[in-house]
Amino acid sequence: MLIALIAKDKDGALQTRKDNRADHLAYIEQTGVVSQAGPLLDGDAMIGSLVILEVEDMTAAQTWADNDPYAKAGLFKSVELIPWKKVIG
């Protein structure tokens, strides 16, 4: 099952993002369920994250989201998990 995780950063949280980036990237590699990922942008500013998870169900997606070092550091003001269907690519 593919799940789109769409997370919006809290205002003024760029330093939190920078401080936790290495742990976030290590978590992605360690868990092995991320098929695509990258920051959401407003001009040149990072304002959130889009992560496509390949997991068994929504519970697994929520567990992944809850344990992301960015989430644990309090980076996000909101996180949405939405089932997603790949059509192109």
Side-chain angles (χ1 to χ4, degrees):
M1 171 178 223
L2 295 173
I3 306 292
L5 182 156
I6 301 169
K8 303 282 182 80
D9 292 0
K10 292 178 181 173
D11 293 337
L14 180 59
Q15 192 60 51
T16 301
R17 179 175 279 277
K18 288 178 178 180
D19 291 347
N20 291 279
R21 185 170 189 270
D23 290 341
H24 169 73
L25 294 175
Y27 180 65
I28 287 173
E29 181 150 342
Q30 171 193 20
T31 57
V33 298
V34 175
S35 65
Q36 298 178 59
L40 298 173
L41 304 173
D42 183 6
D44 290 335
M46 289 184 268
I47 60 166
S49 297
L50 170 64
V51 180
I52 304 298
L53 301 169
E54 191 167 344
V55 293
E56 292 190 21
D57 54 30
M58 287 296 282
T59 300
Q62 186 65 60
T63 298
W64 191 95
D66 291 344
N67 287 294
D68 179 359
Y70 279 168
K72 287 184 170 188
L75 174 62
F76 303 129
K77 68 179 171 186
S78 67
V79 175
E80 278 187 276
L81 294 169
I82 303 168
W84 182 70
K85 181 179 178 181
K86 182 178 179 178
V87 175
I88 298 172

